[in-house]
Amino acid sequence: MTASISDFFEGYISDLRLFSDAEDLTITSLAVPRIIKKKQYLLRQGELCRFYTLVCSGFLRTYRIDDKGNEHIFSFSPAGCWTGDPVSLVSGNPSQEFIDAIEDSTVVQMTSDSFKALLRDIPNFSQLNTMIITDEYRRSRERIHEMISNQADEKYRNFIRLFPQLHQRIPIFMVASYLGIARETLTRIRSKMGDLQSL
């Protein structure tokens, strides 16, 4: 792996404090680095998701496109987040989702077979797997609650709190799609909010 990607992933695994030094080496040896350029796809609708992917730098998004050509963004994945289509990974069916890079990004990937081998051979690796699943579930549940409970302005305030260092790097039409509101509505909200840093 290139030095920066390798250092990030090695640090990520080490910080979990779940594995021995030898197990750390085994895990990192199976991780494959990849550079994703801005607008480049990590996954396209109709493809099989074959990899578990950890974002090391940059920012990715997961979305679907409806019959009218409208994008509906499910999630954003900054550095330190795992991304992919778990349904496709587990079922072996083609994905219904797109994942692409909002800006130049780096990731590490493990094939499904490598991930299963680690689950089999390293007892504590199941804790990492549980963490990934739980985090995805938590984010999904929080997003559902957000969508059905809050008005548009509160959705945007919470979005800023969720991505305090990143929200201004995301194009406004993507933020609007993620929040499920019209771009024009979000533009009006932003114009009335003043200093975003105080939120």
Side-chain angles (χ1 to χ4, degrees):
M1 284 188 276
T2 61
S4 59
I5 304 175
S6 174
D7 290 346
F8 182 94
F9 188 62
E10 289 173 4
Y12 174 88
I13 294 299
S14 177
D15 288 346
L16 294 174
R17 301 186 182 278
L18 293 173
F19 313 111
S20 67
D21 291 345
E23 289 169 340
D24 281 355
L25 289 173
T26 298
I27 294 167
T28 55
S29 73
L30 294 174
V32 179
R34 185 174 174 188
I35 297 172
I36 312 293
K37 294 294 185 181
K38 182 178 180 179
K39 298 184 179 181
Q40 183 179 351
Y41 288 98
L42 184 76
L43 180 70
R44 293 176 186 263
Q45 184 183 53
E47 296 178 346
L48 295 179
C49 184
R50 303 178 186 276
F51 298 94
Y52 290 81
T53 302
L54 176 69
V55 181
C56 298
S57 68
F59 214 22
L60 278 67
R61 62 173 178 152
T62 302
Y63 62 99
R64 292 187 184 184
I65 299 177
D66 65 23
D67 293 340
K68 296 180 180 179
N70 299 312
E71 293 181 358
H72 301 281
I73 298 176
F74 297 155
S75 65
F76 294 110
S77 301
C81 285
W82 291 84
T83 189
D85 181 350
V87 175
S88 179
L89 266 170
V90 173
S91 69
N93 294 326
S95 178
Q96 298 299 309
E97 300 174 353
F98 295 88
I99 302 176
D100 65 11
I102 298 173
E103 58 190 30
D104 290 351
S105 304
T106 61
V107 302
V108 292
Q109 295 185 302
M110 287 188 196
T111 66
S112 178
D113 287 345
S114 293
F115 204 86
K116 290 175 182 176
L118 291 171
L119 285 170
R120 182 189 66 235
D121 297 337
I122 299 178
N124 280 350
F125 197 77
S126 62
Q127 293 187 43
L128 173 57
N129 187 44
T130 299
M131 184 187 76
I132 295 169
I133 293 170
T134 302
D135 185 60
E136 173 67 24
Y137 181 80
R138 176 189 57 79
R139 287 193 292 165
S140 296
R141 301 296 278 190
E142 288 178 354
R143 178 153 163 68
I144 291 169
H145 180 266
E146 176 80 15
M147 295 296 287
I148 64 178
S149 301
N150 293 326
Q151 300 297 318
D153 59 343
E154 189 60 26
K155 288 180 183 179
Y156 186 54
R157 289 177 187 275
N158 288 339
F159 180 81
I160 294 170
R161 294 186 188 105
L162 183 62
F163 299 107
Q165 305 301 321
L166 301 169
H167 72 273
Q168 292 180 325
R169 288 157 55 185
I170 305 171
I172 188 171
F173 77 91
M174 292 186 187
V175 177
S177 171
Y178 178 82
L179 297 178
I181 61 179
R183 177 175 178 170
E184 295 76 14
T185 299
L186 181 55
T187 299
R188 288 196 299 270
I189 291 170
R190 290 180 65 166
S191 69
K192 295 177 182 178
M193 286 180 63
D195 184 9
L196 300 179
Q197 301 303 318
S198 65
L199 298 176

